Amino acid sequence: GAFRVTTPIFLGMFLNDLQDEHSPAKNIFLLALVLSVLNICQTFTHHVVFYYTMRLGYSFRTVSIGMIFNHLFTLPGSALDLDTGKLINLISNDVQRFEEAAVFFQFLWSSLLEALTILFLLSYQLNWVSGLAGVGMTVMAIPLQLKVAKELSKRRGKVARSTDIRVRFMSEVITGISSVKSFAWENSFFSTLQSIRMTEVNYMRFSMTLKAVNYALYFCSPHVASFATFMTFVALGGTLTLPKLFTVMSLLQVLRLVIGRAWTRAIETSSEAIASCNRIESFLVLSEGKGKGEQGYDGADELSELIVSSLAASEGAVDTSSVVEMVDGGGTEPESPQPSRDESDQKQKGNVG
């Protein structure tokens, strides 16, 4: 961060010496060397920091998987009838969020510190009103980003729950594939699976839309901040020069990077990591003396009723709202009568014929 912030200052000094005809050549070459060294140091520091933070994320991921497996082996036989889809999702998708959050977590505080430094430098280059206008236009997007991050955390839980239901449903179908083929229930199961998958895709699409909003703020913030800064400076009677122009634009680009990208990404990954942590905690609180029903680790009963509903659907049409209620935790589906034995025998005879 220090290398990023100081580079625009030396750039302004370099342009000042280029404009000054009486400036000695050795100062110009010295400033050019300083700019090169700053960029090289920034590159090495950036990759070294990311290397160690990624290793930390790998450690979090490995430890989390180990805790899940160790706790699974300590559960009694009565508690082992768990939601297979949720368990697979925990050790594949949820622990991945810790790895991503470890890389960007440091930007939650360092980005704000860099933003304050940039505000001071903008005030020194122009005036405090123009500097406050430029930084303010960028900071104004923070409440929206916080709202988006909060909504992302909620959607992450719904996406994970819908994925759990889909994986467990497929596990049930594959386990009983002989019965499914014998009674010609392929269409009903396929329709149910398609409804579950569409619900999952809808939640994922909304999550991607929220992420697109964050990236839109990232690309728009420097232009809006530059416009506000220069308009305020000229309106107050200031005169723009080439060194000031490039220095201010470079500082605003750094501000876009630390606030529009790094800080936003830190909020996004941290919120997803918190949601994943809550899901893992719901599994780890399963005590050795209690089963899943007493701890709220549900999903199997609701899925069983959904399978019954799919078998009762004559044309394979399943109400998508029932799947949404399962994902949202709003209750179970209404029971539907199972197909009679005569109807199943007729289907089986028709297939044999």
Side-chain angles (χ1 to χ4, degrees), residues 127-326:
N127 52 62
W128 70 272
V129 179
S130 301
L132 191 62
V135 177
M137 293 300 297
T138 304
V139 175
M140 282 177 60
I142 292 180
L144 179 59
Q145 292 172 345
L146 292 175
K147 179 66 176 178
V148 170
K150 183 178 180 180
E151 190 64 26
L152 269 175
S153 179
K154 295 180 181 179
R155 295 292 171 174
R156 168 61 191 160
K158 293 182 179 180
V159 169
R161 181 170 174 80
S162 59
T163 304
D164 296 340
I165 296 174
R166 177 175 58 83
V167 173
R168 181 174 177 83
F169 183 82
M170 284 302 303
S171 178
E172 296 284 347
V173 172
I174 293 175
T175 302
I177 191 63
S178 299
S179 300
V180 173
K181 299 294 290 185
S182 298
F183 294 100
W185 288 338
E186 295 94 335
N187 293 332
S188 299
F189 277 111
F190 179 77
S191 178
T192 305
L193 178 62
Q194 190 175 22
S195 300
I196 298 174
R197 179 58 180 168
M198 287 303 300
T199 303
E200 181 183 5
V201 169
N202 289 334
Y203 285 125
M204 294 176 63
R205 184 182 292 113
F206 190 80
S207 298
M208 292 299 105
T209 303
L210 294 178
K211 291 183 179 181
V213 171
N214 275 339
Y215 280 106
L217 294 174
Y218 167 70
F219 286 108
C220 293
S221 59
H223 305 288
V224 177
S226 300
F227 176 78
T229 301
F230 295 135
M231 285 295 295
T232 305
F233 181 69
V234 173
L236 294 176
T239 303
L240 281 176
T241 60
L242 188 64
K244 287 184 178 180
L245 179 65
F246 276 90
T247 301
V248 171
M249 291 188 66
S250 299
L251 288 173
L252 292 177
Q253 289 291 335
V254 175
L255 184 64
R256 178 187 77 162
L257 178 65
V258 299
I259 295 295
R261 183 178 181 180
W263 195 76
T264 303
R265 184 65 174 157
I267 293 179
E268 180 182 315
T269 55
S270 298
S271 61
E272 291 180 351
I274 292 174
S276 299
C277 186
N278 292 332
R279 285 170 47 80
I280 294 176
E281 184 182 3
S282 66
F283 170 76
L284 295 178
V285 296
L286 284 171
S287 62
E288 298 183 3
K290 295 182 179 181
K292 63 173 183 176
E294 300 177 13
Q295 293 291 337
Y297 200 85
D298 53 2
D301 295 337
E302 297 179 1
L303 186 61
S304 299
E305 294 185 7
L306 185 60
I307 293 176
V308 172
S309 300
S310 67
L311 297 179
S314 58
E315 299 296 334
V318 180
D319 188 8
T320 310
S321 61
S322 61
V323 182
V324 176
E325 290 180 1
M326 286 183 61

Side-chain angles (χ1 to χ4, degrees), residues 53-54 57-58 60-61 95-104:
T53 53
M54 289 179 69
Y58 294 153
F60 285 157
R61 179 180 181 179
V95 295
Q96 179 70 25
R97 308 305 169 187
F98 298 148
E99 181 180 336
E100 298 173 355
V103 176
F104 294 96

